[in-house]
Amino acid sequence: GVANLRGLNLSQFNLTGCQFLGDLTDVNFTDAVISKCDFGWLSNITIDQIKSTWNYKTGRMNGIKLPEEIQKTLDAEKNNPKK
């Protein structure tokens, strides 16, 4: 089944290789390691959650599967950085 992870505190967890299928509404990913994670099927994870991770903060986003809209936004920001 699909887990309800709503509001869970996963800050600073090493989540390398996880595949998320549950409800990630309000999950705290601050400084969590999400290398090789699969968020691709989710519609309820936000770009702010992704930006709070260790991977985003250190520029190590390769190999992470994100929902298409979040990936497009991150790619656009990377290609057109704010000055």
Side-chain angles (χ1 to χ4, degrees):
V2 175
N4 179 359
L5 304 175
R6 182 179 282 249
L8 193 65
N9 182 1
L10 296 176
S11 63
Q12 299 183 343
F13 273 64
N14 182 347
L15 303 169
T16 299
C18 286
Q19 181 176 22
F20 290 95
L21 299 172
D23 183 352
L24 298 181
T25 303
D26 297 327
V27 172
N28 181 354
F29 285 103
T30 303
D31 297 326
V33 176
I34 59 168
S35 302
K36 300 179 185 172
C37 282
D38 185 350
F39 298 95
W41 298 104
L42 298 173
S43 61
N44 61 355
I45 189 166
T46 67
I47 196 160
D48 289 334
Q49 286 172 298
I50 296 299
K51 286 182 174 183
S52 75
T53 67
W54 175 86
N55 293 76
Y56 181 83
K57 291 175 182 178
T58 60
R60 296 179 176 152
M61 296 296 291
N62 289 342
I64 299 169
K65 185 171 171 100
L66 298 170
E68 187 176 344
E69 288 303 312
I70 290 178
Q71 188 63 59
K72 284 181 183 178
T73 301
L74 292 176
D75 289 346
E77 288 176 1
K78 184 177 179 182
N79 295 329
N80 299 301
K82 293 179 182 174
K83 298 185 181 188

